[in-house]
C-alpha cells in the first residue's frame, strides 16, 4: 500500500507499539509537554473538545504521512516552511469541512482550528519521526500521538463539563432536584468553566499518571 | 488615542495570551527554567508580534477579506480569498522569522547571540499565529490599533513567562511531591497565576 516493502505485515508489533506508546508512557501532553498551546481553551465542554481531538488526529496523521513521502526531496534549510505549508493546507481542509458540516461547533472553536497549524505535536512528530521514517510508520505514529493528545483533551473536558455545568455533551447528568434552587444541596462549580482550571486539571492528570508510572518522575 | 491605550492595556492584562487563551504554552513551559532565557524568549516574541501582526493586517485588509480586491480592478469584487488566510499568515510568519534572523545575525551580532537560538522557535509559537487570527476575528479598525494589540499581547506574554521563570527558580528549593515535580507543578502554578490575572477581568476600559 505504501513505501513498505513486503517484509513487514501492515500491523506488526512495532507498528502497534508506535500506536500505543503515545497513549500512556509517551503521551504528548503529559510526558513530552507538546501541544498544550492551542487547545486547552476548548475543553470547557465535551463537544468542542471531541471535535478538536478528531481534527488534530486527522491532521497529525496526514501531515506526518505527506512529509514522510516528501522527506528525501525537502532541502534542509527551508524544511520548516515546507512543513508549515503542508500542515496549513491540511488545516484549511479541516476548517472548511467543519464550517460546512458543523457550523455551530466551528464558531465555538473560532481561532483554535487555525491554531492546529502551530500545534507543537504536529511539528514535533514531523521533526522527530516523519523526517526519518517511511510513510506508513509515520502515519501510525501521527495517529497515535493525535489519540494520546485527544484522550487528555477529552478527559479534561469531561471533568470540566461535569463539575462546571453538570452536563455531558449538553445533556443534564446531575439530577435537577439536587440543585439548591430546587431545594437540594448541590451547586455547580463555576470555577471549572474558567480557563485557569484547565491548566490545574492537566497538572492533576500529570500527578495521577506519574504516581502510577514511577519512571516518569522528574528529578 | 484612549482607544488605543485601552486595547494595549486590555491585551496585556485581561486577554493575556497565556492565562486566558493558553497560546504559546509549549515554549512557555520548555524555556521557563531560568529568568535570563525567559526574558530573551519573551523579548523575541514581543519583537515578532510587533512585526508580523501589522504585515498580516495589511494582507488581510487588501488581499483576503471578501470583496477587498476591488482596489485592483472592479471585476474582482466577487473574489473571496478568505479561506487562504491560514496559509498566508503562517507563510508570512515563517518567512519574516527567517528574514529577521538573517538581518539580526548580520547587523546586530550582540542581539543575535542573546536572541539567536530563540528566533527559529518563534515560527511555530502559537502566540504569533494566534495573534494574527485574533486580529482577523476581532476586526480592528486601523494599523495603530493592531500595533497596540500586537505589542500588548507580546508584553503580556513576556510578563507571564518571566513570572513563571522567577517562581520556578525559587521552586528548586521547595519540597514538591515527587510525581508533581517539573511539569506538573508548573501547570498548577500557571493555573493559579491565571486565577490571579482574572481579577483584572472586572476592569472596564
Amino acid at each position: 500500500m505504501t513505501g513498505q516493502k513486503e517484509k513487514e505485515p501492515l500491523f506488526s508489533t512495532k507498528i502497534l507499539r508506535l500506536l500505543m506508546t503515545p497513549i500512556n508512557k509517551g503521551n504528548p501532553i503529559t510526558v513530552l509537554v507538546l501541544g498544550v498551546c492551542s487547545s486547552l481553551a476548548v475543553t470547557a465542554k465535551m463537544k468542542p473538545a471531541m471535535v478538536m481531538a478528531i481534527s488534530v488526529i486527522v491532521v497529525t496523521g496526514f501531515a506526518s504521512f505527506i512529509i514522510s513521502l516528501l522527506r528525501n526531496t525537502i532541502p534542509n534549510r527551508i524544511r520548516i516552511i515546507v512543513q508549515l505549508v503542508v500542515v496549513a493546507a491540511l488545516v484549511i481542509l479541516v476548517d472548511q469541512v467543519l464550517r460546512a458540516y458543523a457550523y455551530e461547533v466551528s464558531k465555538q472553536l473560532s481561532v483554535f482550528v487555525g491554531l492546529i497549524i502551530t500545534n507543537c505535536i504536529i511539528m514535533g512528530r514531523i521533526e522527530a519521526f516523519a523526517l526519518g521514517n517511511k510513510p506508513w510508520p509515520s502515519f501510525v505514529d501521527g495517529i497515535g500521538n493525535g489519540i494520546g493528545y485527544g484522550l487528555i483533551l477529552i478527559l479534561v473536558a469531561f471533568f470540566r463539563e461535569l463539575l462546571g455545568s453538570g452536563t455531558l455533551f449538553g445533556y443534564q447528568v446531575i439530577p435537577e432536584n439536587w440543585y439548591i434552587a430546587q431545594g437540594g444541596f448541590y451547586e455547580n462549580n463555576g470555577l471549572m468553566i474558567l480557563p485557569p482550571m484547565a491548566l490545574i486539571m492537566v497538572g492533576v492528570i500529570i500527578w495521577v499518571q506519574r504516581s502510577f508510572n514511577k519512571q516518569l518522575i522528574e528529578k | 488615542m484612549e482607544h488605543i491605550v485601552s486595547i494595549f492595556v486590555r491585551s496585556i492584562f485581561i486577554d493575556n495570551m497565556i492565562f486566558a487563551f493558553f497560546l504559546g504554552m509549549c515554549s512557555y513551559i520548555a524555556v521557563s527554567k531560568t529568568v535570563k532565557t525567559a526574558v530573551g524568549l519573551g523579548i523575541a516574541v514581543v519583537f515578532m508580534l510587533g512585526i508580523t501582526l501589522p504585515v498580516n493586517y495589511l494582507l488581510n485588509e487588501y488581499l483576503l477579506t471578501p470583496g477587498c480586491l476591488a482596489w485592483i480592478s472592479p471585476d474582482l469584487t466577487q473574489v473571496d480569498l478568505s479561506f487562504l488566510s491560514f496559509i498566508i499568515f503562517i507563510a508570512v510568519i515563517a518567512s519574516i522569522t527567517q528574514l529577521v534572523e538573517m538581518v539580526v545575525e548580520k547587523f546586530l551580532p550582540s542581539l543575535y547571540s542573546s536572541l539567536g537560538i530563540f528566533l527559529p522557535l518563534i515560527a511555530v509559537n502559537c502566540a504569533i499565529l494566534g495573534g494574527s487570527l485574533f486580529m482577523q476575528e476581532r476586526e480592528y479598525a486601523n494599523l495603530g490599533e493592531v500595533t497596540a494589540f500586537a505589542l500588548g499581547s507580546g508584553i503580556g506574554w513576556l510578563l507571564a513567562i518571566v513570572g513563571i521563570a522567577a517562581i520556578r527558580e525559587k521552586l528548586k528549593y521547595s519540597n514538591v511531591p515527587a510525581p508533581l515535580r517539573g511539569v506538573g507543578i508548573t501547570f498548577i502554578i500557571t493555573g493559579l497565576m491565571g486565577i490571579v490575572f482574572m481579577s483584572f477581568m472586572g476592569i472596564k476600559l
Side-chain angles (χ1 to χ4, degrees):
Chain A
M1 170 193 168
T2 58
Q4 199 78 355
K5 301 270 154 32
E6 263 71 54
K7 283 176 208 156
E8 277 184 61
L10 208 52
F11 284 101
S12 60
T13 37
K14 219 174 85 199
I15 296 282
L16 279 181
R17 201 176 318 133
L18 281 180
L19 193 63
M20 298 310 289
T21 322
I23 290 174
N24 185 11
K25 300 230 167 92
N27 190 288
I29 292 192
T30 59
V31 181
L32 306 177
V33 205
L34 292 176
V36 199
C37 315
S38 52
S39 309
L40 287 174
V42 303
T43 53
K45 290 273 183 326
M46 284 291 271
K47 211 168 150 196
M50 203 83 172
V51 172
M52 189 71 192
I54 294 170
S55 317
V56 171
I57 292 172
V58 170
V59 176
T60 38
F62 284 98
S64 287
F65 180 70
I66 293 171
I67 293 294
S68 177
L69 282 178
L70 297 173
R71 69 185 187 281
N72 296 324
T73 51
I74 303 175
N76 201 34
R77 262 196 82 79
I78 57 159
R79 66 177 196 286
I80 303 267
I81 295 185
V82 176
Q83 289 161 6
L84 284 174
V85 169
V86 169
V87 176
L90 284 167
V91 171
I92 289 178
L93 284 181
V94 168
D95 184 47
Q96 297 291 325
V97 170
L98 284 183
R99 274 187 204 186
Y101 295 105
Y103 189 71
E104 284 300 306
V105 181
S106 99
K107 267 271 155 292
Q108 276 175 22
L109 290 176
S110 70
V111 302
F112 292 98
V113 180
L115 285 172
I116 298 177
I117 299 172
T118 47
N119 193 315
C120 324
I121 295 177
I122 301 176
M123 295 301 285
R125 288 331 287 172
I126 290 175
E127 286 277 303
F129 198 89
L131 278 178
N133 284 283
K134 290 188 173 138
W136 173 245
S138 310
F139 181 70
V140 175
D141 179 76
I143 296 275
N145 277 285
I147 294 175
Y149 164 90
L151 270 181
I152 300 292
L153 217 60
I154 288 169
L155 207 60
V156 174
F158 175 81
F159 286 111
R160 283 182 77 191
E161 185 170 359
L162 184 65
L163 300 176
S165 331
T167 57
L168 284 178
F169 287 108
Y171 296 106
Q172 193 69 34
V173 175
I174 309 278
E176 291 278 357
N177 55 6
W178 283 16
Y179 284 100
I180 290 178
Q182 313 279 335
F185 57 90
Y186 188 78
E187 186 81 48
N188 283 330
N189 185 351
L191 198 59
M192 294 302 282
I193 303 286
L194 301 171
M197 283 314 282
L199 291 166
I200 294 181
M201 279 303 306
V202 175
V204 172
I205 290 174
I206 292 177
W207 190 357
V208 172
Q209 193 198 16
R210 291 190 180 179
S211 336
F212 286 110
N213 298 294
K214 297 282 186 210
Q215 77 273 29
L216 294 178
I217 292 174
E218 290 173 46
K219 273 187 264 115
Chain B
M1 192 58 209
E2 301 121 57
H3 192 52
I4 288 182
V5 174
S6 103
I7 287 179
F8 183 71
V9 175
R10 218 190 136 76
S11 50
I12 295 182
F13 293 108
I14 305 167
D15 291 336
N16 188 290
M17 281 281 187
I18 293 270
F19 299 127
F21 302 108
F22 315 107
L23 297 181
M25 283 298 284
C26 300
S27 21
Y28 170 83
I29 302 235
V31 194
S32 61
K33 291 205 175 83
T34 57
V35 172
K36 199 161 166 273
T37 48
V39 173
L41 183 68
I43 290 172
V45 167
V46 177
F47 192 58
M48 286 308 295
L49 270 172
I51 298 176
T52 52
L53 244 65
V55 174
N56 277 342
Y57 173 76
L58 291 177
L59 278 172
N60 188 44
E61 280 299 281
Y62 294 104
L63 190 66
L64 296 171
T65 320
C68 68
L69 284 173
W71 62 275
I72 298 177
S73 99
D75 309 334
L76 292 175
T77 41
Q78 296 300 314
V79 181
D80 178 4
L81 290 180
S82 56
F83 70 96
L84 280 179
S85 51
F86 295 160
I87 214 161
I88 289 193
F89 287 169
I90 197 72
V92 165
I93 291 167
S95 41
I96 289 186
T97 322
Q98 205 115 57
L99 273 179
V100 167
E101 198 187 341
M102 289 180 211
V103 170
V104 172
E105 192 178 5
K106 181 102 173 89
F107 296 107
L108 300 160
S110 61
L111 184 66
Y112 183 76
S113 59
S114 57
L115 280 190
I117 45 164
F118 300 117
L119 283 171
L121 268 180
I122 300 277
V124 287
N125 190 319
C126 329
I128 315 282
L129 182 65
S132 293
L133 294 175
F134 276 125
M135 172 271 294
Q136 190 188 30
E137 192 189 66
R138 293 181 190 160
E139 294 170 348
Y140 287 115
N142 56 48
L143 211 54
E145 288 184 18
V146 170
T147 316
F149 169 67
L151 294 178
S153 9
I155 291 169
W157 202 91
L158 173 74
L159 268 184
I161 194 170
V162 172
I164 193 79
I167 294 177
R168 279 180 86 170
E169 278 191 354
K170 293 279 174 252
L171 213 58
K172 279 182 212 143
Y173 308 109
S174 55
N175 189 14
V176 181
L180 261 181
R181 270 179 210 152
V183 182
I185 195 73
T186 312
F187 271 108
I188 292 181
I189 288 175
T190 311
L192 295 176
M193 286 168 79
I195 293 176
V196 174
F197 264 68
M198 279 176 56
S199 56
F200 292 112
M201 220 140 81
I203 299 173
K204 276 262 180 320
L205 284 168

